[in-house]
Amino acid sequence: LEIQDVRGRRVVSVSDASFVLPFSTILSGSPQLTLVLARPSIEVVRDAQGVINVMTLVKQPSAAPSPGAAASGTTAAPASEVVVPAFVARSRLGLEIRDGSLKVVDEKSKFESTVDRLQVRLRDASLIQPTTLTVEAALDTKLGQQLRVAGPVRLEMETAPVLSGTELREMKASLRAEADALEIGVPGLFEKKAGIPLSLDGKIALGKDEARIDSLKAVFHNAVATISGKIGPYQPEPKLDLKVSSNAVELQPWGELVPMLRDYKISGRTTLALDLAGAASALRYGGSVKLESIGFTHPMFKADPRLDGSIQIATNQLEKIAMTMKAPGCELQVSGKLVDFSKPVITLAATSPGMDLDQWLDLAKPAAGAKPAAGGGAKGAPTAAAARDLDALLAPLRANAVALATEARLEVRLDRLKARQAPMQNMKAQATLKNLAVSLDSASLQAFGGRVEASGRLDLKPLRPTYSFNTRVEGVEIEKAVESQVAFLKNTLLGRLSATASGSGSSFNVDPAIRALDMK
């Protein structure tokens, strides 16, 4: 048996095909016909023009009558209704594919996937009787140069018609998809090994006017998402009314899948709830994401912080962001919102009764991966940092429409701050972002009996980013500063210091930045 598309390419080819038609089912008035394909080869191709070969097997609707024909008074014959004999309506069809191979090729995107050991068992396919379908296959797919999907998958589905007399009201279905043994990998980023749960289980109903999800449960690792609701009515435009929720997902086990999480030893749990409603073209949604006791490690931490909070989601915005971070000697609250995901307007406020960074962080310890500068190199040889054009790294940001449209406002208020044994009080700052320009509108703090104020601006749009700044120091007690920062000079320097500095320049690259700096 061979089936070809309109270009003569083989879609299905099999050397061993047969029909099974038990004679007793004919006598009963409900014939059961099963097509059996042993070791078939199936190839689905999407060509460079976007045409899928399987779709060309179906005869397309004939074109509408030409205006000339209508003008001449010729009318098309009305389409006659198809009357299905009861004998045919009671018939049951089946399909068995044994050890088939399926090849999917996308010539447009240069994608190719192979499915081996394909087993399909379709039994009692009928509009008026229950039907079962089982599909098993071994996948071996590579997407791009990195993503690889390999392993066995299984799908089971049962359908049961709901009739009103002889009319089909809806088709109920229960399905179960299992891919626990599937392996999914992106080197260095993601790795699902065989044995990690991955499944879908649910009950749905398809009707003439709407589709209903009675229950649908998706499981991946230790995360369980449940979905319920309906889609419909379909006309004049599909409408959705869906609810999605998850269990409290423990994050620590996900280090098994995401190496980055493993390195930082992420802990804690998160929960998601989401509602979707409305027409497809004007979809409304809302929900929340909760974070509980989120912790992570870093080489500079003397103790791991703990993060708790929630994000309230509304249509096209994060309606409320509320986070609390606690660490030894530190407590920080962040609140705000984000409006319009395509043109984000972000408002954030950070407040703290006290941040003693010396208790929490080892500020003398270099960050992970930092390496001291190598000595003994050839005189005048460029370093890696010098050879890298830091200004050019901003090019993708300048070309990003969302980044260009983003506006933000940040307010900071810290009652007490201590870092490297320098105590500071009443730290306040206001900063804004618009059109890729960051403006430090005002910043001030009290330290060593005096006051420090600053303002500035950084514009990332030019090929060589530009900046300007102003600072003022008033009445800092030198004795206190020296005692805090240079202990061996204690009681040697006295008096008060006041100073101002202002300047401007451009570029993040060292040499041009030094040449462009103008400071007083």
Side-chain angles (χ1 to χ4, degrees), residues 306-361:
R306 283 293 178 268
L307 180 67
D308 292 275
S310 64
I311 301 174
Q312 299 296 324
I313 304 168
T315 304
N316 201 30
Q317 63 180 314
L318 302 182
E319 191 173 41
K320 183 179 179 181
I321 302 170
M323 300 288 175
T324 300
M325 188 278 294
K326 292 184 179 181
C330 299
E331 182 176 343
L332 181 68
Q333 294 90 34
V334 177
S335 61
K337 63 180 181 179
L338 184 156
V339 179
D340 194 345
F341 296 136
S342 60
K343 297 180 180 179
V345 178
I346 306 168
T347 304
L348 290 175
T351 60
S352 172
M355 295 286 290
D356 188 342
L357 300 184
D358 292 330
Q359 283 193 50
W360 176 29
L361 304 177

Short mmCIF file of all heavy atoms in Angstrom, two decimals, residues 306-361:
data_model
loop_
_atom_site.label_atom_id
_atom_site.label_comp_id
_atom_site.label_asym_id
_atom_site.label_seq_id
_atom_site.Cartn_x
_atom_site.Cartn_y
_atom_site.Cartn_z
N ARG A 306 16.28 35.02 53.30
CA ARG A 306 14.98 34.40 53.11
C ARG A 306 14.05 35.43 52.48
O ARG A 306 13.96 36.57 52.94
CB ARG A 306 14.39 33.93 54.45
CG ARG A 306 15.02 32.65 54.95
CD ARG A 306 14.70 31.46 54.06
NE ARG A 306 15.34 30.23 54.48
CZ ARG A 306 16.51 29.79 54.06
NH1 ARG A 306 17.18 30.52 53.18
NH2 ARG A 306 17.01 28.66 54.48
N LEU A 307 13.38 35.01 51.42
CA LEU A 307 12.51 35.91 50.67
C LEU A 307 11.08 35.39 50.73
O LEU A 307 10.82 34.22 50.42
CB LEU A 307 12.98 36.00 49.21
CG LEU A 307 12.18 36.90 48.27
CD1 LEU A 307 12.33 38.35 48.67
CD2 LEU A 307 12.64 36.70 46.83
N ASP A 308 10.15 36.25 51.11
CA ASP A 308 8.72 35.94 51.09
C ASP A 308 8.01 37.05 50.33
O ASP A 308 8.43 38.21 50.35
CB ASP A 308 8.16 35.86 52.51
CG ASP A 308 8.69 34.67 53.28
OD1 ASP A 308 8.12 33.57 53.15
OD2 ASP A 308 9.69 34.84 54.00
N GLY A 309 6.91 36.68 49.66
CA GLY A 309 6.18 37.73 48.96
C GLY A 309 5.11 37.19 48.05
O GLY A 309 4.85 35.98 47.99
N SER A 310 4.49 38.10 47.34
CA SER A 310 3.44 37.72 46.40
C SER A 310 3.39 38.73 45.28
O SER A 310 3.78 39.90 45.44
CB SER A 310 2.08 37.64 47.11
OG SER A 310 1.70 38.92 47.59
N ILE A 311 2.88 38.27 44.14
CA ILE A 311 2.66 39.13 42.97
C ILE A 311 1.22 38.93 42.54
O ILE A 311 0.82 37.81 42.21
CB ILE A 311 3.62 38.79 41.83
CG1 ILE A 311 5.08 38.95 42.28
CG2 ILE A 311 3.34 39.66 40.61
CD1 ILE A 311 6.09 38.49 41.23
N GLN A 312 0.44 40.00 42.55
CA GLN A 312 -0.94 39.95 42.10
C GLN A 312 -0.98 40.31 40.61
O GLN A 312 -0.48 41.37 40.22
CB GLN A 312 -1.81 40.91 42.90
CG GLN A 312 -1.87 40.61 44.39
CD GLN A 312 -2.53 39.28 44.69
OE1 GLN A 312 -3.48 38.87 44.02
NE2 GLN A 312 -2.02 38.58 45.70
N ILE A 313 -1.57 39.42 39.81
CA ILE A 313 -1.60 39.59 38.36
C ILE A 313 -2.98 40.04 37.93
O ILE A 313 -3.99 39.49 38.36
CB ILE A 313 -1.23 38.27 37.65
CG1 ILE A 313 0.13 37.76 38.15
CG2 ILE A 313 -1.23 38.45 36.14
CD1 ILE A 313 0.43 36.34 37.72
N ALA A 314 -3.04 41.06 37.08
CA ALA A 314 -4.28 41.50 36.45
C ALA A 314 -4.01 41.66 34.96
O ALA A 314 -2.86 41.58 34.52
CB ALA A 314 -4.79 42.80 37.06
N THR A 315 -5.06 41.88 34.17
CA THR A 315 -4.89 41.96 32.73
C THR A 315 -3.84 43.00 32.36
O THR A 315 -3.96 44.17 32.71
CB THR A 315 -6.23 42.30 32.06
OG1 THR A 315 -7.21 41.33 32.46
CG2 THR A 315 -6.10 42.30 30.55
N ASN A 316 -2.78 42.56 31.69
CA ASN A 316 -1.72 43.42 31.16
C ASN A 316 -0.97 44.19 32.25
O ASN A 316 -0.43 45.26 32.00
CB ASN A 316 -2.28 44.41 30.14
CG ASN A 316 -1.20 44.94 29.20
OD1 ASN A 316 -0.23 44.26 28.91
ND2 ASN A 316 -1.36 46.16 28.74
N GLN A 317 -0.94 43.63 33.47
CA GLN A 317 -0.17 44.31 34.50
C GLN A 317 0.10 43.38 35.68
O GLN A 317 -0.61 42.39 35.88
CB GLN A 317 -0.89 45.56 34.99
CG GLN A 317 -2.23 45.30 35.66
CD GLN A 317 -2.89 46.58 36.12
OE1 GLN A 317 -2.25 47.44 36.72
NE2 GLN A 317 -4.17 46.73 35.82
N LEU A 318 1.15 43.70 36.41
CA LEU A 318 1.38 43.12 37.73
C LEU A 318 0.83 44.14 38.71
O LEU A 318 1.45 45.16 38.99
CB LEU A 318 2.89 42.88 37.95
CG LEU A 318 3.56 41.96 36.94
CD1 LEU A 318 5.03 41.77 37.30
CD2 LEU A 318 2.86 40.61 36.83
N GLU A 319 -0.37 43.87 39.19
CA GLU A 319 -1.14 44.87 39.93
C GLU A 319 -0.49 45.22 41.26
O GLU A 319 -0.56 46.37 41.71
CB GLU A 319 -2.55 44.33 40.16
CG GLU A 319 -3.54 45.34 40.67
CD GLU A 319 -4.93 44.75 40.71
OE1 GLU A 319 -5.07 43.57 41.11
OE2 GLU A 319 -5.88 45.44 40.32
N LYS A 320 0.15 44.25 41.89
CA LYS A 320 0.77 44.52 43.18
C LYS A 320 1.96 43.59 43.38
O LYS A 320 1.83 42.37 43.24
CB LYS A 320 -0.24 44.32 44.32
CG LYS A 320 0.31 44.64 45.70
CD LYS A 320 -0.75 44.45 46.77
CE LYS A 320 -0.20 44.74 48.16
NZ LYS A 320 -1.21 44.53 49.21
N ILE A 321 3.11 44.17 43.68
CA ILE A 321 4.31 43.42 43.99
C ILE A 321 4.66 43.70 45.44
O ILE A 321 4.80 44.87 45.84
CB ILE A 321 5.48 43.83 43.07
CG1 ILE A 321 5.11 43.62 41.60
CG2 ILE A 321 6.75 43.05 43.42
CD1 ILE A 321 6.11 44.21 40.62
N ALA A 322 4.78 42.66 46.24
CA ALA A 322 5.11 42.84 47.66
C ALA A 322 6.12 41.77 48.06
O ALA A 322 5.81 40.57 48.02
CB ALA A 322 3.86 42.75 48.53
N MET A 323 7.35 42.19 48.42
CA MET A 323 8.41 41.26 48.77
C MET A 323 9.06 41.69 50.08
O MET A 323 9.22 42.89 50.34
CB MET A 323 9.49 41.23 47.68
CG MET A 323 8.98 40.79 46.33
SD MET A 323 8.60 39.02 46.28
CE MET A 323 7.90 38.90 44.62
N THR A 324 9.46 40.71 50.87
CA THR A 324 10.21 40.96 52.09
C THR A 324 11.43 40.05 52.12
O THR A 324 11.31 38.83 51.96
CB THR A 324 9.35 40.70 53.35
OG1 THR A 324 8.22 41.57 53.34
CG2 THR A 324 10.16 40.96 54.61
N MET A 325 12.63 40.67 52.30
CA MET A 325 13.86 39.90 52.40
C MET A 325 14.44 40.08 53.80
O MET A 325 14.55 41.20 54.30
CB MET A 325 14.87 40.38 51.35
CG MET A 325 16.13 39.51 51.25
SD MET A 325 17.40 39.89 52.49
CE MET A 325 17.89 41.54 52.03
N LYS A 326 14.81 38.96 54.42
CA LYS A 326 15.41 39.00 55.75
C LYS A 326 16.72 38.21 55.75
O LYS A 326 16.82 37.15 55.14
CB LYS A 326 14.45 38.43 56.80
CG LYS A 326 13.20 39.27 57.04
CD LYS A 326 12.35 38.70 58.16
CE LYS A 326 11.12 39.57 58.40
NZ LYS A 326 10.26 39.06 59.50
N ALA A 327 17.72 38.79 56.42
CA ALA A 327 19.02 38.16 56.59
C ALA A 327 19.58 38.68 57.91
O ALA A 327 19.03 39.63 58.49
CB ALA A 327 19.94 38.51 55.42
N PRO A 328 20.66 38.10 58.43
CA PRO A 328 21.22 38.59 59.70
C PRO A 328 21.49 40.09 59.66
O PRO A 328 22.24 40.58 58.82
CB PRO A 328 22.52 37.79 59.84
CG PRO A 328 22.26 36.52 59.10
CD PRO A 328 21.39 36.92 57.95
N GLY A 329 20.84 40.85 60.55
CA GLY A 329 21.03 42.28 60.62
C GLY A 329 20.35 43.07 59.52
O GLY A 329 20.52 44.29 59.45
N CYS A 330 19.57 42.40 58.67
CA CYS A 330 18.99 43.08 57.50
C CYS A 330 17.52 42.73 57.34
O CYS A 330 17.10 41.58 57.57
CB CYS A 330 19.73 42.67 56.22
SG CYS A 330 21.48 43.08 56.20
N GLU A 331 16.76 43.72 56.94
CA GLU A 331 15.36 43.52 56.56
C GLU A 331 15.02 44.56 55.51
O GLU A 331 15.26 45.75 55.69
CB GLU A 331 14.44 43.65 57.76
CG GLU A 331 12.97 43.40 57.41
CD GLU A 331 12.05 43.44 58.61
OE1 GLU A 331 12.56 43.34 59.74
OE2 GLU A 331 10.83 43.58 58.41
N LEU A 332 14.44 44.10 54.40
CA LEU A 332 14.12 45.00 53.28
C LEU A 332 12.75 44.65 52.73
O LEU A 332 12.46 43.47 52.48
CB LEU A 332 15.17 44.87 52.18
CG LEU A 332 15.00 45.75 50.94
CD1 LEU A 332 15.21 47.22 51.30
CD2 LEU A 332 15.96 45.34 49.84
N GLN A 333 11.90 45.67 52.55
CA GLN A 333 10.59 45.48 51.93
C GLN A 333 10.57 46.21 50.59
O GLN A 333 11.01 47.36 50.50
CB GLN A 333 9.47 46.03 52.82
CG GLN A 333 9.28 45.29 54.13
CD GLN A 333 10.10 45.87 55.25
OE1 GLN A 333 10.34 47.06 55.30
NE2 GLN A 333 10.57 45.00 56.14
N VAL A 334 10.07 45.51 49.58
CA VAL A 334 9.94 46.09 48.24
C VAL A 334 8.48 45.98 47.82
O VAL A 334 7.88 44.90 47.90
CB VAL A 334 10.84 45.37 47.22
CG1 VAL A 334 10.63 45.94 45.82
CG2 VAL A 334 12.30 45.49 47.61
N SER A 335 7.89 47.08 47.36
CA SER A 335 6.52 47.07 46.88
C SER A 335 6.45 47.86 45.59
O SER A 335 7.31 48.71 45.31
CB SER A 335 5.58 47.69 47.92
OG SER A 335 5.94 49.04 48.18
N GLY A 336 5.43 47.57 44.78
CA GLY A 336 5.28 48.31 43.53
C GLY A 336 4.31 47.65 42.59
O GLY A 336 3.52 46.78 42.98
N LYS A 337 4.37 48.04 41.34
CA LYS A 337 3.50 47.48 40.31
C LYS A 337 4.12 47.70 38.94
O LYS A 337 5.06 48.49 38.77
CB LYS A 337 2.11 48.11 40.37
CG LYS A 337 2.07 49.60 40.07
CD LYS A 337 0.65 50.13 40.15
CE LYS A 337 0.59 51.63 39.85
NZ LYS A 337 -0.82 52.13 39.89
N LEU A 338 3.60 46.97 37.96
CA LEU A 338 4.02 47.10 36.56
C LEU A 338 2.77 47.15 35.70
O LEU A 338 1.92 46.26 35.79
CB LEU A 338 4.91 45.92 36.15
CG LEU A 338 5.53 45.94 34.74
CD1 LEU A 338 6.78 45.08 34.71
CD2 LEU A 338 4.55 45.44 33.66
N VAL A 339 2.66 48.19 34.87
CA VAL A 339 1.49 48.37 34.01
C VAL A 339 1.92 48.27 32.56
O VAL A 339 2.91 48.89 32.16
CB VAL A 339 0.83 49.74 34.27
CG1 VAL A 339 -0.37 49.95 33.35
CG2 VAL A 339 0.41 49.86 35.73
N ASP A 340 1.18 47.48 31.76
CA ASP A 340 1.37 47.35 30.31
C ASP A 340 2.69 46.64 29.97
O ASP A 340 3.77 47.22 29.99
CB ASP A 340 1.34 48.74 29.64
CG ASP A 340 1.20 48.63 28.13
OD1 ASP A 340 1.41 47.53 27.58
OD2 ASP A 340 0.88 49.65 27.50
N PHE A 341 2.57 45.35 29.63
CA PHE A 341 3.75 44.54 29.33
C PHE A 341 4.45 44.97 28.04
O PHE A 341 5.64 44.74 27.88
CB PHE A 341 3.36 43.06 29.25
CG PHE A 341 2.87 42.51 30.54
CD1 PHE A 341 1.75 41.70 30.58
CD2 PHE A 341 3.51 42.79 31.72
CE1 PHE A 341 1.29 41.18 31.78
CE2 PHE A 341 3.06 42.29 32.94
CZ PHE A 341 1.95 41.47 32.96
N SER A 342 3.73 45.55 27.08
CA SER A 342 4.36 45.98 25.83
C SER A 342 5.06 47.33 25.96
O SER A 342 6.06 47.59 25.29
CB SER A 342 3.32 46.04 24.71
OG SER A 342 2.30 46.96 25.03
N LYS A 343 4.53 48.21 26.85
CA LYS A 343 5.15 49.50 27.14
C LYS A 343 5.20 49.65 28.66
O LYS A 343 4.45 50.42 29.25
CB LYS A 343 4.36 50.64 26.50
CG LYS A 343 4.32 50.59 24.99
CD LYS A 343 3.51 51.76 24.43
CE LYS A 343 3.46 51.71 22.90
NZ LYS A 343 2.65 52.83 22.35
N PRO A 344 6.11 48.92 29.32
CA PRO A 344 6.05 48.82 30.78
C PRO A 344 6.26 50.16 31.49
O PRO A 344 7.14 50.95 31.13
CB PRO A 344 7.20 47.86 31.10
CG PRO A 344 7.45 47.10 29.83
CD PRO A 344 7.15 48.07 28.74
N VAL A 345 5.41 50.39 32.48
CA VAL A 345 5.58 51.50 33.42
C VAL A 345 5.71 50.86 34.80
O VAL A 345 4.76 50.28 35.32
CB VAL A 345 4.39 52.48 33.38
CG1 VAL A 345 4.59 53.59 34.39
CG2 VAL A 345 4.23 53.07 31.97
N ILE A 346 6.91 50.97 35.38
CA ILE A 346 7.24 50.25 36.61
C ILE A 346 7.39 51.26 37.75
O ILE A 346 8.06 52.28 37.60
CB ILE A 346 8.54 49.45 36.44
CG1 ILE A 346 8.45 48.53 35.21
CG2 ILE A 346 8.85 48.65 37.70
CD1 ILE A 346 9.77 47.92 34.81
N THR A 347 6.77 50.95 38.87
CA THR A 347 6.92 51.75 40.09
C THR A 347 7.35 50.83 41.22
O THR A 347 6.69 49.83 41.49
CB THR A 347 5.60 52.44 40.46
OG1 THR A 347 5.14 53.22 39.36
CG2 THR A 347 5.80 53.35 41.66
N LEU A 348 8.48 51.15 41.86
CA LEU A 348 9.00 50.33 42.95
C LEU A 348 9.41 51.23 44.11
O LEU A 348 9.94 52.34 43.89
CB LEU A 348 10.21 49.50 42.50
CG LEU A 348 9.96 48.35 41.52
CD1 LEU A 348 11.28 47.72 41.11
CD2 LEU A 348 9.04 47.31 42.12
N ALA A 349 9.19 50.74 45.32
CA ALA A 349 9.62 51.44 46.53
C ALA A 349 10.30 50.43 47.44
O ALA A 349 9.74 49.34 47.69
CB ALA A 349 8.43 52.08 47.25
N ALA A 350 11.50 50.75 47.91
CA ALA A 350 12.26 49.88 48.80
C ALA A 350 12.46 50.59 50.13
O ALA A 350 12.96 51.73 50.16
CB ALA A 350 13.60 49.52 48.17
N THR A 351 12.07 49.96 51.22
CA THR A 351 12.22 50.55 52.55
C THR A 351 12.85 49.53 53.49
O THR A 351 12.70 48.32 53.30
CB THR A 351 10.86 51.00 53.13
OG1 THR A 351 9.99 49.86 53.23
CG2 THR A 351 10.21 52.04 52.23
N SER A 352 13.55 50.06 54.51
CA SER A 352 14.20 49.16 55.46
C SER A 352 14.40 49.88 56.79
O SER A 352 14.83 51.03 56.83
CB SER A 352 15.56 48.70 54.94
OG SER A 352 16.27 47.98 55.93
N PRO A 353 14.12 49.18 57.91
CA PRO A 353 14.46 49.75 59.22
C PRO A 353 15.95 49.64 59.52
O PRO A 353 16.46 50.35 60.38
CB PRO A 353 13.63 48.90 60.19
CG PRO A 353 13.46 47.59 59.49
CD PRO A 353 13.39 47.91 58.03
N GLY A 354 16.64 48.72 58.82
CA GLY A 354 18.07 48.58 59.04
C GLY A 354 18.70 47.54 58.14
O GLY A 354 18.13 46.47 57.92
N MET A 355 19.88 47.88 57.58
CA MET A 355 20.63 46.95 56.73
C MET A 355 22.08 46.96 57.19
O MET A 355 22.85 47.87 56.86
CB MET A 355 20.54 47.37 55.26
CG MET A 355 19.16 47.29 54.66
SD MET A 355 18.62 45.59 54.32
CE MET A 355 19.68 45.15 52.94
N ASP A 356 22.46 45.95 58.00
CA ASP A 356 23.85 45.82 58.45
C ASP A 356 24.53 44.80 57.54
O ASP A 356 24.51 43.59 57.79
CB ASP A 356 23.90 45.37 59.91
CG ASP A 356 25.32 45.41 60.47
OD1 ASP A 356 26.27 45.45 59.67
OD2 ASP A 356 25.47 45.40 61.71
N LEU A 357 25.11 45.29 56.45
CA LEU A 357 25.70 44.39 55.45
C LEU A 357 26.91 43.65 56.00
O LEU A 357 27.25 42.57 55.51
CB LEU A 357 26.09 45.19 54.21
CG LEU A 357 24.93 45.93 53.51
CD1 LEU A 357 25.42 46.61 52.24
CD2 LEU A 357 23.78 44.99 53.19
N ASP A 358 27.57 44.21 57.02
CA ASP A 358 28.73 43.52 57.60
C ASP A 358 28.33 42.24 58.30
O ASP A 358 29.10 41.29 58.37
CB ASP A 358 29.46 44.46 58.58
CG ASP A 358 30.13 45.62 57.86
OD1 ASP A 358 30.53 45.45 56.71
OD2 ASP A 358 30.23 46.71 58.46
N GLN A 359 27.11 42.20 58.85
CA GLN A 359 26.63 40.96 59.48
C GLN A 359 26.26 39.91 58.44
O GLN A 359 26.43 38.71 58.68
CB GLN A 359 25.39 41.26 60.34
CG GLN A 359 25.66 41.91 61.68
CD GLN A 359 24.44 41.86 62.58
OE1 GLN A 359 23.83 40.79 62.75
NE2 GLN A 359 24.06 43.01 63.12
N TRP A 360 25.75 40.36 57.29
CA TRP A 360 25.22 39.43 56.29
C TRP A 360 26.25 39.02 55.25
O TRP A 360 26.36 37.85 54.88
CB TRP A 360 24.01 40.09 55.60
CG TRP A 360 23.41 39.29 54.49
CD1 TRP A 360 23.40 37.94 54.35
CD2 TRP A 360 22.74 39.81 53.33
NE1 TRP A 360 22.77 37.56 53.18
CE2 TRP A 360 22.35 38.70 52.55
CE3 TRP A 360 22.43 41.10 52.91
CZ2 TRP A 360 21.67 38.86 51.34
CZ3 TRP A 360 21.73 41.24 51.72
CH2 TRP A 360 21.37 40.14 50.94
N LEU A 361 27.06 39.97 54.79
CA LEU A 361 27.96 39.72 53.67
C LEU A 361 29.41 39.77 54.10
O LEU A 361 29.79 40.54 54.98
CB LEU A 361 27.73 40.77 52.56
CG LEU A 361 26.32 40.91 52.01
CD1 LEU A 361 26.26 42.04 51.00
CD2 LEU A 361 25.83 39.61 51.40
#
